[in-house]
Amino acid sequence: MKKKDALPEHKPHTPGTPHASRRKTLQALGGLAALALLPAAVPVARAAAWEGKALRIGHQKSSTLAVVLKTRGSLERRLAPLGLKVEWYEFTSGLPLLEALNIGSLEFSADVADTVPVFAQAAGARLTYVAQETPSPGAQAIVVPEASPIRSLADLKGRKVGLAKGAGAHYLLIAALASVGLTVKDVEVAYLTPADGRAAFERGAIDAWSIWDPFLAGVQRQSKVRLLTGEPAVAQYKRYYLAADAFAEARPDVLAVLFEELRDVGRWVKASPKEAAALLSPVWGLDSDTVELANSRRSYELRAVAPDQLGEQQRIADAFFAEKLLPKKVAATEVRIWTPG
């Protein structure tokens, strides 16, 4: 997390926060392992009542709609009459974000890749699906240097591929390899954060990189690369918004406001690409043209979640379980879902 947006340091142990020793272990292991260590027997019947005065929202740099909403300040204005203030916290990836949501450090999570809730579900996390963005398959890809001898997905056999563990780009690699009769056992996988992945890619330490926007747009515009994935899409790449169960049960009125505000921001971003790029450029640290390219590949169309729309969630869960990345099988439809009134 950025220092200025870091979650408050938990000093004495309080209900809902991990003891110091466990917290250090979770931080050292990273988001994926943290979720895997959450109690599998967490009760999901009914969450404790929520009576907070601040809506704490976690987001990532790639959480476009949340970043725009934060910059505009419109959510704060709408929630002030309801007696709530808004606090924003930036995370480096979706896995630690949902772990923070589950332990009670946040009330709401901005969009995370479709793979991330699967890990939380396997860990018994008490989370509620609030919304999803419609598919954006072009917003992630497997790339290689333009001069690379790798010309197809089949050529990845025996090669080193960098990716963020548990991210949408992780499932993209699994699905892409499966489409040509390969598995991840046929390649060497290097688990890297987006920043480390870009550095490794640029110096030739990995042969290919599975990555999502805006990092994908950045490497496309600043380096000579080729995409190994495209049409037909092997992964839909949806992004999901989630809430802590206790908050979802206590404040459906606030979720309705969040849904409306995020949906309106999504429509504005698509209708005003240059204005949106100009707003996001200094936040992302990317030039406006790169931001506009990234935004052109995301749908940003917000809709409610329905069980019959979770088919790819099940395919993701099955694929990760087969790779022994999940501790148990997951039924994707056995989740809490909030629906607009």
Side-chain angles (χ1 to χ4, degrees):
M1 291 181 287
K2 287 185 176 180
K3 185 175 181 181
K4 68 176 182 178
D5 285 337
L7 283 168
E9 178 67 19
H10 296 291
K11 296 285 173 78
H13 176 67
T14 56
T17 63
H19 285 290
S21 59
R22 180 172 179 268
R23 187 171 66 251
K24 289 178 181 178
T25 300
L26 296 179
Q27 291 170 343
L29 290 172
L32 177 58
L35 282 173
L37 286 178
L38 289 175
V42 168
V44 294
R46 183 170 181 81
W50 184 86
E51 298 178 349
K53 298 299 181 183
L55 169 60
R56 296 168 297 179
I57 300 175
H59 64 95
Q60 303 171 69
K61 189 177 287 292
S62 58
S63 299
T64 308
L65 305 189
V67 171
V68 174
L69 191 57
K70 176 185 176 183
T71 304
R72 281 181 160 186
S74 59
L75 182 62
E76 284 82 351
R77 290 190 292 272
R78 287 198 63 182
L79 293 184
L82 299 180
L84 286 178
K85 64 179 182 177
V86 183
E87 298 175 357
W88 302 86
Y89 302 103
E90 183 176 310
F91 288 72
T92 56
S93 64
L95 290 163
L97 197 168
L98 290 197
E99 203 272 339
L101 190 68
N102 182 64
I103 65 173
S105 294
L106 301 171
E107 281 69 55
F108 186 78
S109 165
D111 55 304
V112 295
D114 40 18
T115 56
V116 181
V118 169
F119 285 99
Q121 191 178 350
R126 296 170 292 186
L127 307 177
T128 298
Y129 279 69
V130 175
Q132 68 176 201
E133 290 179 15
T134 56
S136 301
Q140 58 177 1
I142 299 173
V143 299
V144 295
E146 189 176 68
S148 171
I150 300 172
R151 312 300 299 185
S152 69
L153 290 169
D155 293 337
L156 288 174
K157 186 172 183 178
R159 301 288 189 160
K160 190 179 217 179
V161 184
L163 54 81
K165 193 172 188 178
H170 194 163
Y171 176 67
L172 174 64
L173 177 66
I174 293 173
L177 292 173
S179 72
V180 292
L182 299 175
T183 73
V184 289
K185 295 180 179 63
D186 293 307
V187 301
E188 182 182 352
V189 176
Y191 293 127
L192 301 166
T193 65
D196 291 340
R198 175 68 182 269
F201 184 77
E202 297 287 3
R203 68 174 183 268
I206 54 177
D207 299 299
W209 190 27
S210 189
I211 190 60
W212 64 93
D213 278 323
F215 310 103
L216 171 60
V219 75
Q220 279 185 284
R221 285 186 47 80
Q222 297 166 15
S223 304
K224 294 181 178 180
V225 301
R226 283 185 290 107
L227 274 59
L228 296 183
T229 51
E231 295 294 339
V234 295
Q236 295 182 48
Y237 191 50
K238 299 176 184 177
R239 294 183 70 88
Y240 288 89
Y241 298 76
L242 299 99
D245 278 356
F247 180 74
E249 290 181 9
R251 301 305 304 259
D253 57 330
V254 177
L255 291 185
V257 172
L258 274 163
F259 186 87
E260 291 173 8
E261 288 289 321
L262 289 165
R263 182 189 57 193
D264 291 347
V265 168
R267 291 170 176 169
W268 176 78
V269 170
K270 297 306 286 187
S272 311
K274 293 195 178 301
E275 292 87 343
L279 185 152
L280 288 164
S281 176
V283 179
W284 284 358
L286 296 169
D287 65 272
S288 292
D289 288 341
T290 299
V291 176
E292 191 171 349
L293 173 62
N295 285 345
S296 71
R297 294 187 291 221
R298 285 273 294 275
S299 72
Y300 295 132
E301 180 184 345
L302 210 70
R303 68 183 181 189
V305 179
D308 61 2
Q309 297 168 352
L310 297 175
E312 183 154 59
Q313 292 299 93
Q314 189 62 61
R315 291 190 290 276
I316 291 169
D318 293 343
F320 280 138
F321 180 74
E323 294 298 330
K324 297 181 172 54
L325 290 166
L326 288 182
K328 64 179 183 180
K329 286 190 174 183
V330 166
T333 56
E334 293 180 0
V335 293
R336 290 177 177 270
I337 297 176
W338 172 87
T339 54

